[in-house]
Amino acid sequence: MIKVSPSVLASDFSHLADEVKKIENSGADYVHLDVMDGVFVPNITFGAPVIKALRPHSKITFDVHLMIVDPIRYIKDFVDAGADIITFHYESCENHEEVIDLIHSYGIKAAISLKPNTSYEVLKPLIHKLDMVLVMTVEPGYGGQKFIEKTLDTIRGTAGLIKEIGADIDIEVDGGIYEENACVPISAGANVIVAGSAFFKSFDPATTVHKLRGN
Ligand code: DX5
Ligand code: ZN
């Protein structure tokens, strides 16, 4: 079953709670929350206090994508804010195992994200510890960019590693994904689709979610 995780990055930030409700009502599986610090990526979005303020408005799974340097400093804050899944970037730190273990110590899911130029091979020593891998299909930092085709190799490589160890690990893809091309990363092995522009520019979000599942 393919899951859909609409990103609030493309939503109206002045009505965030309503936008989360819109995601929930569309039948999507997760809400994708893009946290950017202006250092790991050029853009700045929001942090744990905003996520905490949204938490009472919805029971939907909060899929938190950290694009911040040295993420271990803030894991507890995002757990306390109500994150259900925390993804951090491979390129953002060196203590990967420590970060994964800390996230798991709070009883929630841990994922690592790879930028488009990072090889899936870096996952080899870590894959068995992960609940999900997030393959960036654009350079992180902004919504509305074009899907980078070569990231399909990263998806395929990651799927191969997961198959080798016979584990149940999700592959999420993020960036430049629309109704028309969602089937491409899905065919390569992805099973969680992030969509910012595709969801929030849609006039019929429920149908968009259905189509993003590759239907
Ligand atoms: C980009 C973010 C994405 C972004 C995707 O760094 O990680 O989640 O919201 O936006 P679209 O779907 O518009 O490419
Ligand atoms: Zn994201």
Side-chain angles (χ1 to χ4, degrees):
M1 170 72 177
I2 308 297
K3 295 188 181 80
V4 176
S5 188
S7 168
V8 298
L9 189 62
S11 76
D12 178 351
F13 276 18
S14 69
H15 297 278
L16 265 184
D18 292 337
E19 300 290 59
V20 168
K21 281 246 150 43
K22 182 175 174 177
I23 292 173
E24 193 167 31
N25 292 337
S26 74
D29 302 273
Y30 302 158
V31 169
H32 187 82
L33 296 149
D34 287 305
V35 176
M36 305 186 189
D37 67 355
V39 181
F40 181 71
V41 287
N43 202 4
I44 299 176
T45 53
F46 49 80
V50 170
I51 295 175
K52 192 171 194 164
L54 290 171
R55 189 66 282 186
H57 294 273
S58 175
K59 287 193 164 50
I60 196 166
T61 297
F62 275 11
D63 171 29
V64 176
H65 178 191
L66 299 182
M67 286 160 272
I68 65 175
V69 292
D70 204 8
I72 201 157
R73 299 172 296 154
Y74 294 103
I75 298 301
K76 186 176 185 304
D77 288 358
F78 286 101
V79 172
D80 290 344
D84 298 293
I85 305 168
I86 295 184
T87 299
F88 66 98
H89 268 266
Y90 181 82
E91 307 84 358
S92 70
C93 60
E94 289 180 353
N95 52 347
H96 307 105
E97 288 211 42
E98 211 186 322
V99 180
I100 296 167
D101 290 345
L102 181 62
I103 297 170
H104 280 156
S105 76
Y106 294 111
I108 67 164
K109 292 186 174 180
I112 282 188
S113 182
L114 303 180
K115 289 167 61 168
N117 288 324
T118 303
S119 166
Y120 73 89
E121 298 198 13
V122 302
L123 295 172
K124 280 183 183 167
L126 301 165
I127 191 83
H128 63 286
K129 293 197 133 200
L130 295 169
D131 300 289
M132 183 169 84
V133 174
L134 168 51
V135 176
M136 286 306 299
T137 46
V138 298
E139 285 297 335
Y142 299 96
Q145 303 180 76
K146 194 175 174 303
F147 184 91
I148 299 171
E149 293 288 329
K150 74 165 185 204
T151 61
L152 292 170
D153 292 336
T154 312
I155 301 168
R156 288 189 202 103
T158 304
L161 288 183
I162 294 170
K163 200 171 172 199
E164 260 173 45
I165 63 164
D168 183 17
I169 301 168
D170 291 322
I171 301 179
E172 183 173 54
V173 281
D174 183 3
I177 302 172
Y178 295 85
E179 295 174 17
E180 298 74 25
N181 66 351
C183 58
V184 176
I186 291 171
S187 302
N191 70 323
V192 184
I193 304 293
V194 176
S197 310
F199 183 88
F200 282 100
K201 290 208 168 99
S202 168
F203 292 107
D204 181 359
T207 301
T208 297
V209 167
H210 185 72
K211 290 188 174 164
L212 286 168
R213 289 198 177 102
N215 296 319

